Protein backbone atom coordinates (compact mmCIF):
# COMPACT_ATOMS: atom_id res chain seq x y z
CA UNK A 1 0.00 0.00 0.00
CA UNK A 2 1.14 3.56 -0.76
CA UNK A 3 1.01 6.49 1.62
CA UNK A 4 -2.07 8.63 1.15
CA UNK A 5 -1.53 11.32 -1.50
CA UNK A 6 -1.66 14.97 -0.39
CA UNK A 7 -5.17 16.45 -0.54
CA UNK A 8 -7.35 19.13 1.04
CA UNK A 9 -10.27 17.77 3.03
CA UNK A 10 -13.62 19.59 3.14
CA UNK A 11 -16.61 18.79 5.33
CA UNK A 12 -19.62 20.69 3.96
CA UNK A 13 -22.88 20.70 5.91
CA UNK A 14 -25.22 21.44 2.99
CA UNK A 15 -25.69 19.92 -0.46
CA UNK A 16 -25.27 23.37 -2.05
CA UNK A 17 -21.83 23.73 -0.47
CA UNK A 18 -20.88 20.16 -1.45
CA UNK A 19 -21.63 20.62 -5.16
CA UNK A 20 -20.01 24.09 -5.18
CA UNK A 21 -16.79 22.59 -3.80
CA UNK A 22 -16.93 19.79 -6.37
CA UNK A 23 -17.40 22.24 -9.25
CA UNK A 24 -14.41 24.30 -8.04
CA UNK A 25 -11.74 21.56 -8.37
CA UNK A 26 -11.55 19.32 -11.43
CA UNK A 27 -10.10 16.28 -9.64
CA UNK A 28 -12.11 16.62 -6.40
CA UNK A 29 -13.84 13.45 -5.16
CA UNK A 30 -16.75 12.91 -2.80
CA UNK A 31 -16.26 10.56 0.14
CA UNK A 32 -19.05 8.67 1.90
CA UNK A 33 -17.66 5.94 4.15
CA UNK A 34 -14.40 5.83 2.19
CA UNK A 35 -14.37 2.02 2.12
CA UNK A 36 -13.95 1.94 -1.65
CA UNK A 37 -12.22 5.23 -2.42
CA UNK A 38 -9.59 5.24 0.33
CA UNK A 39 -8.49 1.69 -0.45
CA UNK A 40 -7.99 2.72 -4.09
CA UNK A 41 -6.06 5.87 -3.12
CA UNK A 42 -3.74 3.76 -0.95
CA UNK A 43 -3.07 1.67 -4.06
CA UNK A 44 -2.10 4.76 -6.04
CA UNK A 45 -5.33 4.74 -8.04
CA UNK A 46 -5.97 8.47 -8.31
CA UNK A 47 -4.51 11.66 -6.88
CA UNK A 48 -7.40 14.01 -6.12
CA UNK A 49 -6.46 17.50 -4.94
CA UNK A 50 -9.60 17.71 -2.77
CA UNK A 51 -11.75 15.20 -0.89
CA UNK A 52 -15.29 16.30 -0.01
CA UNK A 53 -16.52 14.34 2.99
CA UNK A 54 -20.33 14.09 2.76
CA UNK A 55 -20.98 12.71 6.24
CA UNK A 56 -21.92 16.08 7.77
CA UNK A 57 -24.61 16.86 5.17
CA UNK A 58 -27.73 16.20 7.28
CA UNK A 59 -30.07 16.02 4.24
CA UNK A 60 -28.21 12.97 2.93
CA UNK A 61 -28.79 10.83 6.02
CA UNK A 62 -32.61 10.75 6.00
CA UNK A 63 -35.08 8.05 4.96
CA UNK A 64 -38.54 9.55 4.44
CA UNK A 65 -41.65 9.45 2.25
CA UNK A 66 -41.83 12.19 -0.35
CA UNK A 67 -43.94 12.55 -3.54
CA UNK A 68 -45.34 9.02 -3.13
CA UNK A 69 -41.92 7.35 -2.95
CA UNK A 70 -39.56 6.30 -0.17
CA UNK A 71 -36.51 8.56 -0.44
CA UNK A 72 -33.31 7.06 0.92
CA UNK A 73 -30.53 9.61 1.35
CA UNK A 74 -27.22 8.78 -0.31
CA UNK A 75 -25.48 9.23 3.05
CA UNK A 76 -27.49 6.51 4.82
CA UNK A 77 -25.10 3.77 5.91
CA UNK A 78 -25.69 0.25 4.67
CA UNK A 79 -26.04 -0.92 8.30
CA UNK A 80 -28.84 1.63 8.91
CA UNK A 81 -30.45 0.82 5.57
CA UNK A 82 -30.57 -2.90 6.39
CA UNK A 83 -32.33 -2.36 9.74
CA UNK A 84 -34.72 0.47 8.82
CA UNK A 85 -38.34 -0.56 9.61
CA UNK A 86 -39.79 0.79 6.31
CA UNK A 87 -37.12 -1.02 4.28
CA UNK A 88 -37.67 -4.28 6.18
CA UNK A 89 -41.44 -4.01 5.83
CA UNK A 90 -41.75 -2.99 2.17
CA UNK A 91 -38.40 -3.67 0.48
CA UNK A 92 -36.75 -6.61 2.33
CA UNK A 93 -34.62 -7.47 -0.74
CA UNK A 94 -32.90 -4.08 -0.40
CA UNK A 95 -31.99 -4.95 3.20
CA UNK A 96 -30.70 -8.37 2.04
CA UNK A 97 -28.53 -6.78 -0.66
CA UNK A 98 -27.15 -4.20 1.80
CA UNK A 99 -26.29 -7.01 4.24
CA UNK A 100 -24.51 -8.87 1.43
CA UNK A 101 -21.98 -6.03 1.03
CA UNK A 102 -18.50 -6.60 2.49
CA UNK A 103 -18.40 -7.19 6.29
CA UNK A 104 -20.15 -5.57 9.30
CA UNK A 105 -17.38 -3.04 9.97
CA UNK A 106 -17.50 -1.86 6.34
CA UNK A 107 -21.29 -1.55 6.44
CA UNK A 108 -21.18 0.59 9.59
CA UNK A 109 -19.35 3.29 7.57
CA UNK A 110 -20.24 2.50 3.95
CA UNK A 111 -23.02 4.62 2.46
CA UNK A 112 -25.68 3.91 -0.12
CA UNK A 113 -24.24 6.65 -2.37
CA UNK A 114 -20.74 5.20 -2.16
CA UNK A 115 -22.07 1.73 -2.88
CA UNK A 116 -23.94 2.85 -5.99
CA UNK A 117 -21.06 5.05 -7.21
CA UNK A 118 -18.23 2.65 -6.33
CA UNK A 119 -15.44 2.23 -8.84
CA UNK A 120 -15.34 -0.63 -11.35
CA UNK A 121 -12.87 -3.43 -10.67
CA UNK A 122 -10.45 -5.63 -12.60
CA UNK A 123 -7.56 -7.97 -11.82
CA UNK A 124 -5.31 -5.66 -13.85
CA UNK A 125 -6.48 -2.54 -11.95
CA UNK A 126 -7.01 -3.46 -8.27
CA UNK A 127 -3.31 -4.13 -7.76
CA UNK A 128 -0.41 -2.35 -6.12
CA UNK A 129 1.23 0.49 -8.02
CA UNK A 130 4.47 -1.46 -8.63
CA UNK A 131 2.49 -4.42 -10.02
CA UNK A 132 0.53 -2.22 -12.41
CA UNK A 133 3.67 -0.35 -13.46
CA UNK A 134 5.42 -3.67 -14.14
CA UNK A 135 2.48 -4.63 -16.31
CA UNK A 136 2.63 -1.41 -18.35
CA UNK A 137 -0.38 0.12 -16.52
CA UNK A 138 -3.82 -0.36 -18.15
CA UNK A 139 -6.46 1.51 -20.11
CA UNK A 140 -8.47 2.39 -16.99
CA UNK A 141 -5.63 4.33 -15.36
CA UNK A 142 -2.37 5.75 -16.77
CA UNK A 143 -2.00 3.18 -19.60
CA UNK A 144 -3.20 2.84 -23.18
CA UNK A 145 -3.91 -0.89 -23.36
CA UNK A 146 -6.73 -3.04 -21.97
CA UNK A 147 -5.21 -6.34 -20.82
CA UNK A 148 -8.62 -8.04 -20.73
CA UNK A 149 -9.62 -7.30 -24.33
CA UNK A 150 -6.28 -6.44 -25.83
CA UNK A 151 -7.39 -4.75 -29.05
CA UNK A 152 -10.15 -2.79 -27.36
CA UNK A 153 -10.41 0.99 -27.24
CA UNK A 154 -12.55 0.83 -24.12
CA UNK A 155 -11.93 -0.47 -20.62
CA UNK A 156 -13.76 -3.65 -19.58
CA UNK A 157 -13.41 -3.31 -15.79
CA UNK A 158 -16.52 -4.70 -14.09
CA UNK A 159 -19.09 -3.13 -11.78
CA UNK A 160 -19.48 -5.22 -8.61
CA UNK A 161 -21.97 -3.28 -6.45
CA UNK A 162 -24.58 -5.40 -4.67
CA UNK A 163 -27.33 -2.86 -4.03
CA UNK A 164 -27.87 -1.30 -7.49
CA UNK A 165 -29.50 -4.33 -9.19
CA UNK A 166 -32.15 -4.70 -6.46
CA UNK A 167 -33.01 -1.00 -6.58
CA UNK A 168 -33.18 -1.17 -10.37
CA UNK A 169 -35.66 -4.05 -10.50
CA UNK A 170 -37.82 -2.19 -7.97
CA UNK A 171 -37.98 0.80 -10.32
CA UNK A 172 -35.85 3.16 -8.21
CA UNK A 173 -34.84 6.60 -9.42
CA UNK A 174 -31.59 8.41 -8.67
CA UNK A 175 -32.00 11.96 -7.35
CA UNK A 176 -29.07 14.10 -8.52
CA UNK A 177 -28.21 17.56 -7.19
CA UNK A 178 -25.98 20.19 -8.83
CA UNK A 179 -25.63 23.98 -8.73
CA UNK A 180 -28.46 24.02 -11.35
CA UNK A 181 -30.92 22.23 -9.05
CA UNK A 182 -32.23 18.68 -8.71
CA UNK A 183 -33.07 16.11 -11.41
CA UNK A 184 -34.39 12.54 -11.26
CA UNK A 185 -33.39 9.74 -13.60
CA UNK A 186 -34.06 6.00 -13.65
CA UNK A 187 -31.28 4.44 -11.58
CA UNK A 188 -30.18 2.39 -14.62
CA UNK A 189 -29.35 5.69 -16.36
CA UNK A 190 -26.77 6.51 -13.71
CA UNK A 191 -24.54 3.95 -15.43
CA UNK A 192 -22.94 3.39 -18.81
CA UNK A 193 -21.11 0.33 -20.13
CA UNK A 194 -17.59 1.69 -19.96
CA UNK A 195 -15.21 0.44 -17.27
CA UNK A 196 -13.22 3.68 -17.11
CA UNK A 197 -16.25 6.00 -17.02
CA UNK A 198 -19.16 3.98 -15.83
CA UNK A 199 -21.09 6.82 -14.16
CA UNK A 200 -23.12 9.39 -16.08
CA UNK A 201 -22.93 11.90 -13.20
CA UNK A 202 -21.80 15.36 -14.33
CA UNK A 203 -18.59 16.79 -12.83
CA UNK A 204 -20.58 19.04 -10.47
CA UNK A 205 -23.34 16.54 -9.62
CA UNK A 206 -23.83 14.54 -6.45
CA UNK A 207 -26.10 11.56 -5.91
CA UNK A 208 -28.41 12.95 -3.23
CA UNK A 209 -30.93 10.14 -2.77
CA UNK A 210 -32.68 7.17 -4.28
CA UNK A 211 -36.48 7.28 -4.64
CA UNK A 212 -38.22 3.91 -4.33
CA UNK A 213 -41.78 3.63 -5.70
CA UNK A 214 -44.34 1.55 -3.77
CA UNK A 215 -43.74 -2.21 -4.23
CA UNK A 216 -47.17 -2.57 -5.94
CA UNK A 217 -47.46 -6.33 -5.56
CA UNK A 218 -43.89 -7.07 -6.66
CA UNK A 219 -41.77 -9.44 -4.58
CA UNK A 220 -38.02 -9.19 -4.98
CA UNK A 221 -34.92 -11.14 -4.04
CA UNK A 222 -31.15 -10.92 -4.55
CA UNK A 223 -28.45 -13.59 -4.77
CA UNK A 224 -24.69 -13.35 -5.26
CA UNK A 225 -21.84 -15.78 -5.82
CA UNK A 226 -18.59 -14.94 -4.04
CA UNK A 227 -15.37 -16.59 -2.95
CA UNK A 228 -15.65 -15.81 0.79
CA UNK A 229 -19.18 -15.66 2.18
CA UNK A 230 -18.16 -13.43 5.09
CA UNK A 231 -16.74 -10.54 3.03
CA UNK A 232 -16.50 -10.39 -0.73
CA UNK A 233 -17.61 -8.65 -3.88
CA UNK A 234 -20.06 -10.53 -6.11
CA UNK A 235 -18.41 -12.64 -8.82
CA UNK A 236 -21.91 -12.43 -10.25
CA UNK A 237 -25.09 -11.14 -8.65
CA UNK A 238 -28.75 -11.30 -9.74
CA UNK A 239 -31.82 -9.39 -8.56
CA UNK A 240 -35.35 -10.38 -9.52
CA UNK A 241 -38.65 -8.57 -8.88
CA UNK A 242 -41.78 -10.51 -9.83
CA UNK A 243 -45.49 -9.81 -9.70
CA UNK A 244 -47.43 -13.01 -10.28
CA UNK A 245 -50.95 -12.52 -11.63
CA UNK A 246 -52.63 -15.88 -11.03
CA UNK A 247 -50.98 -18.39 -13.37
CA UNK A 248 -48.93 -15.88 -15.35
CA UNK A 249 -46.09 -13.41 -14.91
CA UNK A 250 -47.66 -9.96 -14.52
CA UNK A 251 -44.47 -7.98 -14.15
CA UNK A 252 -40.83 -9.04 -14.11
CA UNK A 253 -37.56 -7.20 -13.61
CA UNK A 254 -34.18 -8.94 -13.66
CA UNK A 255 -30.86 -7.13 -13.21
CA UNK A 256 -27.29 -8.38 -13.02
CA UNK A 257 -24.08 -7.16 -11.43
CA UNK A 258 -20.45 -8.36 -11.40
CA UNK A 259 -20.67 -9.26 -15.09
CA UNK A 260 -20.40 -6.03 -17.10
CA UNK A 261 -19.04 -2.52 -16.63
CA UNK A 262 -22.45 -1.44 -15.34
CA UNK A 263 -25.33 -3.14 -13.51
CA UNK A 264 -27.77 -4.02 -16.28
CA UNK A 265 -31.45 -4.82 -16.71
CA UNK A 266 -32.26 -7.97 -18.70
CA UNK A 267 -34.91 -7.91 -21.41
CA UNK A 268 -37.89 -9.83 -19.99
CA UNK A 269 -40.68 -8.59 -22.32
CA UNK A 270 -41.16 -12.03 -23.90
CA UNK A 271 -42.04 -13.51 -20.50
CA UNK A 272 -44.88 -11.20 -19.55
CA UNK A 273 -48.25 -12.98 -19.62
CA UNK A 274 -46.62 -16.43 -19.62
CA UNK A 275 -46.42 -19.09 -16.93
CA UNK A 276 -43.05 -19.75 -15.29
CA UNK A 277 -41.85 -23.19 -16.42
CA UNK A 278 -38.85 -24.80 -18.14
CA UNK A 279 -39.65 -23.13 -21.49
CA UNK A 280 -39.88 -19.70 -19.88
CA UNK A 281 -36.66 -20.43 -18.01
CA UNK A 282 -34.92 -21.15 -21.34
CA UNK A 283 -36.12 -17.79 -22.72
CA UNK A 284 -34.79 -15.98 -19.66
CA UNK A 285 -31.49 -17.89 -19.80
CA UNK A 286 -31.02 -16.77 -23.42
CA UNK A 287 -31.74 -13.17 -22.51
CA UNK A 288 -29.18 -13.36 -19.68
CA UNK A 289 -26.57 -14.80 -22.07
CA UNK A 290 -27.21 -11.99 -24.55
CA UNK A 291 -26.65 -9.25 -21.94
CA UNK A 292 -23.95 -10.60 -19.63
CA UNK A 293 -20.43 -10.12 -20.95
CA UNK A 294 -18.28 -12.13 -18.60
CA UNK A 295 -14.56 -11.68 -19.17
CA UNK A 296 -11.33 -12.31 -17.30
CA UNK A 297 -11.77 -9.39 -14.87
CA UNK A 298 -11.85 -11.44 -11.66
CA UNK A 299 -9.66 -14.27 -10.34
CA UNK A 300 -12.55 -16.69 -10.85
CA UNK A 301 -13.03 -17.40 -14.55
CA UNK A 302 -15.97 -16.33 -16.74
CA UNK A 303 -17.31 -19.86 -17.28
CA UNK A 304 -18.02 -20.49 -13.61
CA UNK A 305 -19.48 -17.01 -13.13
CA UNK A 306 -21.80 -17.47 -16.14
CA UNK A 307 -23.10 -20.78 -14.79
CA UNK A 308 -23.52 -19.34 -11.29
CA UNK A 309 -25.50 -16.39 -12.69
CA UNK A 310 -27.82 -18.72 -14.63
CA UNK A 311 -28.28 -21.05 -11.64
CA UNK A 312 -28.99 -18.21 -9.19
CA UNK A 313 -31.54 -16.66 -11.56
CA UNK A 314 -33.43 -19.91 -11.97
CA UNK A 315 -33.47 -20.47 -8.23
CA UNK A 316 -34.68 -16.93 -7.46
CA UNK A 317 -37.43 -17.20 -10.08
CA UNK A 318 -38.61 -20.58 -8.76
CA UNK A 319 -38.69 -19.24 -5.20
CA UNK A 320 -40.57 -16.04 -6.03
CA UNK A 321 -43.00 -17.82 -8.39
CA UNK A 322 -43.88 -20.31 -5.66
CA UNK A 323 -44.40 -17.48 -3.18
CA UNK A 324 -41.65 -18.58 -0.87
C1 LIG B 1 -12.73 -5.89 1.66
C2 LIG B 1 -13.82 -5.18 0.92
C3 LIG B 1 -14.94 -5.91 0.53
C4 LIG B 1 -15.95 -5.28 -0.20
N1 LIG B 1 -17.03 -6.02 -0.56
C5 LIG B 1 -18.05 -5.43 -1.24
C6 LIG B 1 -19.20 -6.19 -1.62
O1 LIG B 1 -19.34 -7.38 -1.30
N2 LIG B 1 -20.19 -5.54 -2.32
C7 LIG B 1 -20.11 -4.24 -2.65
O2 LIG B 1 -21.05 -3.71 -3.27
N3 LIG B 1 -19.03 -3.48 -2.30
C8 LIG B 1 -18.01 -4.04 -1.60
N4 LIG B 1 -16.92 -3.29 -1.22
C9 LIG B 1 -16.78 -1.90 -1.68
C10 LIG B 1 -17.30 -0.85 -0.68
O3 LIG B 1 -16.97 -1.19 0.63
C11 LIG B 1 -18.82 -0.71 -0.75
O4 LIG B 1 -19.25 -0.63 -2.08
C12 LIG B 1 -19.34 0.51 0.01
O5 LIG B 1 -20.74 0.50 0.01
C13 LIG B 1 -18.86 1.83 -0.59
O6 LIG B 1 -19.49 2.87 0.12
P1 LIG B 1 -18.64 4.08 0.74
O7 LIG B 1 -19.61 5.05 1.31
O8 LIG B 1 -17.59 3.58 1.66
O9 LIG B 1 -17.98 4.63 -0.60
P2 LIG B 1 -16.76 5.65 -0.77
O10 LIG B 1 -15.50 4.88 -0.74
O11 LIG B 1 -16.90 6.78 0.16
O12 LIG B 1 -17.05 6.16 -2.24
C14 LIG B 1 -17.03 5.29 -3.35
C15 LIG B 1 -17.14 6.12 -4.63
O13 LIG B 1 -18.40 6.77 -4.70
C16 LIG B 1 -18.26 8.19 -4.80
N5 LIG B 1 -19.35 8.75 -4.00
C17 LIG B 1 -19.60 8.49 -2.68
N6 LIG B 1 -20.75 9.09 -2.33
C18 LIG B 1 -21.23 9.74 -3.43
C19 LIG B 1 -22.38 10.54 -3.70
N7 LIG B 1 -23.31 10.77 -2.76
N8 LIG B 1 -22.53 11.06 -4.95
C20 LIG B 1 -21.61 10.81 -5.91
N9 LIG B 1 -20.51 10.06 -5.72
C21 LIG B 1 -20.33 9.53 -4.49
C22 LIG B 1 -16.87 8.49 -4.27
O14 LIG B 1 -16.33 9.68 -4.86
C23 LIG B 1 -16.10 7.25 -4.71
O15 LIG B 1 -15.71 7.40 -6.05
C24 LIG B 1 -15.88 -3.89 -0.50
C25 LIG B 1 -14.74 -3.17 -0.08
C26 LIG B 1 -13.74 -3.79 0.62
C27 LIG B 1 -12.56 -2.99 1.07
Amino acid sequence: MNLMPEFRCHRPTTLEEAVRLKAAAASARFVGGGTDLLVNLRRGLGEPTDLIDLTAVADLAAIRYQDGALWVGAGVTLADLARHPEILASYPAVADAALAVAGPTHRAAATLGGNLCQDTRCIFYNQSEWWREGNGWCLKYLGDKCHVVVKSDRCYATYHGDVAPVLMVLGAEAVLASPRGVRRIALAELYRESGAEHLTLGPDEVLAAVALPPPAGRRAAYAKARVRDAVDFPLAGVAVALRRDGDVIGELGVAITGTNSAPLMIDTDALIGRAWNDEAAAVLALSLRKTANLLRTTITGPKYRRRAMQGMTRRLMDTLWNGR
Side-chain angles (χ1 to χ4, degrees):
M1 288 278 181
N2 295 4
L3 292 175
M4 274 289 187
E6 292 283 325
F7 54 77
R8 279 181 295 276
C9 195
H10 309 268
R11 199 151 190 258
T13 53
T14 64
L15 264 184
E16 292 72 26
E17 197 186 347
V19 290
R20 192 177 43 72
L21 285 163
K22 184 74 165 45
S27 71
R29 303 285 296 273
F30 291 122
V31 192
T35 62
D36 186 52
L37 181 66
L38 300 188
V39 179
N40 281 350
L41 294 184
R42 289 288 309 270
R43 285 212 157 130
L45 295 166
E47 265 188 87
T49 55
D50 298 72
L51 292 189
I52 305 161
D53 175 2
L54 295 172
T55 55
V57 181
D59 275 1
L60 293 183
I63 299 183
R64 61 171 187 276
Y65 279 102
Q66 188 177 320
D67 305 330
L70 185 67
W71 286 47
V72 184
V76 171
T77 67
L78 297 181
D80 285 346
L81 181 65
R83 60 179 165 234
H84 194 276
E86 291 295 336
I87 295 290
L88 289 169
S90 303
Y91 311 96
V94 175
D96 291 344
L99 283 178
V101 173
T105 48
H106 295 98
R107 296 192 294 271
T111 62
L112 175 63
N115 189 267
L116 297 177
C117 297
Q118 68 181 270
D119 201 1
T120 53
R121 305 179 63 78
C122 177
I123 43 171
F124 294 97
Y125 174 69
N126 299 99
Q127 299 286 356
S128 63
E129 192 161 39
W130 63 264
W131 190 98
R132 287 179 290 113
E133 185 177 13
N135 210 33
W137 309 108
C138 77
L139 197 51
K140 185 163 163 67
Y141 190 61
L142 298 179
D144 55 10
K145 182 173 156 195
C146 175
H147 301 290
V148 176
V149 181
V150 174
K151 286 191 177 148
S152 168
D153 56 3
R154 81 125 161 127
C155 158
Y156 280 85
T158 327
Y159 179 83
H160 289 272
D162 279 307
V163 185
V166 181
L167 294 174
M168 281 161 56
V169 296
L170 290 169
E173 288 186 318
V175 181
L176 311 179
S178 76
R180 295 170 302 287
V182 171
R183 67 183 179 112
R184 282 166 72 160
I185 56 172
L187 182 59
E189 290 171 23
L190 182 64
Y191 303 100
R192 66 165 79 89
E193 262 251 68
S194 167
E197 274 191 64
H198 68 298
L199 295 177
T200 60
L201 274 175
D204 59 354
E205 277 186 314
V206 66
L207 175 64
V210 165
L212 269 164
R218 283 172 302 209
R219 294 183 61 242
Y222 176 67
K224 73 189 267 192
R226 54 186 152 179
V227 175
R228 298 164 298 186
D229 249 356
V231 43
D232 230 328
F233 290 91
L235 294 167
V238 185
V240 176
L242 172 72
R243 196 192 73 232
R244 179 175 172 167
D245 292 345
D247 288 337
V248 297
I249 296 170
E251 204 182 316
L252 177 63
V254 178
I256 52 175
T257 186
T259 57
N260 294 58
S261 294
L264 294 177
M265 292 292 291
I266 303 297
D267 182 3
T268 57
D269 288 354
L271 292 166
I272 307 303
R274 290 178 64 159
W276 177 247
N277 50 30
D278 287 346
E279 277 169 34
V283 172
L284 183 55
L286 182 64
S287 207
L288 278 166
R289 267 204 299 281
K290 278 186 184 158
T291 305
N293 186 22
L294 287 141
L295 297 166
R296 203 163 55 96
T297 54
T298 69
I299 292 172
T300 308
K303 207 167 163 190
Y304 171 81
R305 291 159 62 210
R306 195 173 300 118
R307 291 189 63 169
M309 178 192 66
Q310 294 282 4
M312 290 186 299
T313 310
R314 176 73 203 242
R315 203 181 300 156
L316 287 181
M317 279 299 296
D318 288 347
T319 305
L320 291 172
W321 178 256
N322 291 317
R324 291 198 294 264

